[in-house]
Amino acid sequence: MNKYITAALVCSFSLCSFASEADKPAEAIKAPSSIQFLQPSTDAEAAPALSAEMLMEDCIGRFPPEELQLSGRLTKRRRYGIEMAEFDFVANVCWGTAEPYATYRFYSLKGELVDNVTIKRNAEGKISLSRDMKTPAGAQIPPPKINETILGSDVTWIDATMDFLWWKNPELVGKGDVKGRDCDIIKLTPPEPTQSCAYGKVWLDKAQRVLMQATQNDESGKETRRMWVRAVQKLEVAEDDERWVIKDLEVETTGSGHRTRLHFDDVKIVR
């Protein structure tokens, strides 16, 4: 698959609205109860059954191909909303090169660069990470591992790259409901042994084929991490071209007592 899904976690949602909610303490946060799509969920009942491979390809195909620039804030919170850490970020995403890539730059709230990582995916689907950061003594800091957390948050580079969407041999394991939407549940196995992740699951909306939530599970089947979309925003492309991208994404490490939100203040096409 010679496409790249950006670490900026951008989705080409075909939505007309998303119920927003006020900022609440982390323990009380709940995703909106429903999402209104342009097509009703029942439309999927008349659609022909697709294999897990076809469902995943369809999901990947809904990501916007344009070069994008995204900026926002990563916030790690304890229960009841106590903030533990905050970082601003800027991501430049490019799909139009021989080796598509995304670069992420994280900053302290004082504007100091604290991490600078580039993720590439080659034509065979293999992903590589590099880091352009040095120690005060001038030594090169090694690149992160794919399942390493970003700046001690709940978000890993698997989340940031959505690498799990390219894992091979997907298996359709059931159906479920997320925020009032009928979903297909697909099991995905990492190509290499990954700490705390024997396999993952994704919930894809049956009508729109977009990602609603995802989990990582250990060998016993216990859920170790969960990721879900809280809100979306419209991407300004043209008057007759409605596209929606993630505005708020939540990630929680099971049993940790904290979770991390990625909030996107600005998403724009680089022209």
Side-chain angles (χ1 to χ4, degrees), residues 4-261:
Y4 181 71
I5 188 168
T6 153
L9 306 173
V10 180
C11 283
S12 180
F13 282 92
S14 178
L15 305 175
C16 60
S17 66
F18 193 108
S20 62
E21 59 177 14
D23 208 20
K24 301 177 182 178
E27 184 65 11
I29 289 175
K30 292 184 179 179
S33 59
S34 65
I35 303 176
Q36 294 181 331
F37 287 80
L38 293 176
Q39 298 176 1
S41 180
T42 52
D43 282 2
E45 296 177 3
L50 298 178
S51 67
E53 290 83 358
M54 295 173 67
L55 289 170
M56 296 308 301
E57 288 180 4
D58 201 4
C59 175
I60 292 171
R62 293 176 184 264
F63 286 79
E66 296 91 350
E67 181 180 350
L68 302 175
Q69 184 178 79
L70 306 97
S71 61
R73 179 164 292 184
L74 180 151
T75 304
K76 179 180 178 181
R77 288 186 173 92
R78 290 189 186 276
R79 297 183 181 211
Y80 310 112
I82 300 174
E83 294 182 356
M84 301 172 65
E86 283 191 297
F87 299 94
D88 291 326
F89 67 87
V90 176
N92 283 83
V93 180
C94 183
W95 287 320
T97 62
E99 286 194 336
Y101 68 91
T103 297
Y104 295 83
R105 296 173 297 281
F106 288 89
Y107 299 87
S108 72
L109 298 189
K110 295 181 179 180
E112 301 167 334
L113 181 66
V114 294
D115 210 353
N116 185 2
V117 174
T118 295
I119 303 96
K120 294 182 179 180
R121 182 178 293 279
N122 64 21
E124 288 73 39
K126 184 175 178 58
I127 196 168
S128 63
L129 294 85
S130 61
R131 173 177 273 144
D132 187 11
M133 293 290 292
K134 294 184 178 180
T135 66
Q140 180 65 43
I141 301 176
K145 298 183 182 301
I146 190 67
N147 206 30
E148 183 178 321
T149 60
I150 299 175
L151 297 170
S153 71
D154 298 274
V155 181
T156 70
W157 293 103
I158 287 181
D159 304 324
T161 60
M162 286 197 180
D163 183 58
F164 51 84
L165 294 182
W166 276 267
W167 291 353
K168 302 299 183 182
N169 303 315
E171 179 185 355
L172 185 61
V173 295
K175 303 185 185 302
D177 178 279
V178 179
K179 306 184 188 78
R181 302 292 300 176
D182 293 331
C183 295
D184 290 311
I185 304 174
I186 298 174
K187 180 180 178 180
L188 303 160
T189 304
E192 299 176 358
T194 304
Q195 184 179 4
S196 301
C197 182
Y199 64 89
K201 289 183 180 179
V202 296
W203 280 251
L204 301 183
D205 182 271
K206 287 180 67 67
Q208 298 294 319
R209 306 288 189 235
V210 295
L211 179 67
M212 302 292 286
Q213 69 179 22
T215 65
Q216 288 186 15
N217 302 73
D218 63 18
E219 293 182 354
S220 70
K222 180 182 177 181
E223 182 180 306
T224 58
R225 301 177 62 258
R226 178 176 291 262
M227 176 180 73
W228 67 95
V229 176
R230 293 189 66 250
V232 297
Q233 59 186 320
K234 186 176 180 180
L235 177 63
E236 298 296 336
V237 181
E239 292 185 3
D240 59 346
D241 188 354
E242 286 193 349
R243 303 189 197 180
W244 297 76
V245 296
I246 291 174
K247 183 176 180 67
D248 282 299
L249 184 79
E250 203 88 20
V251 181
E252 183 173 22
T253 305
T254 303
S256 67
H258 54 73
R259 61 177 60 168
T260 300
R261 178 186 297 180

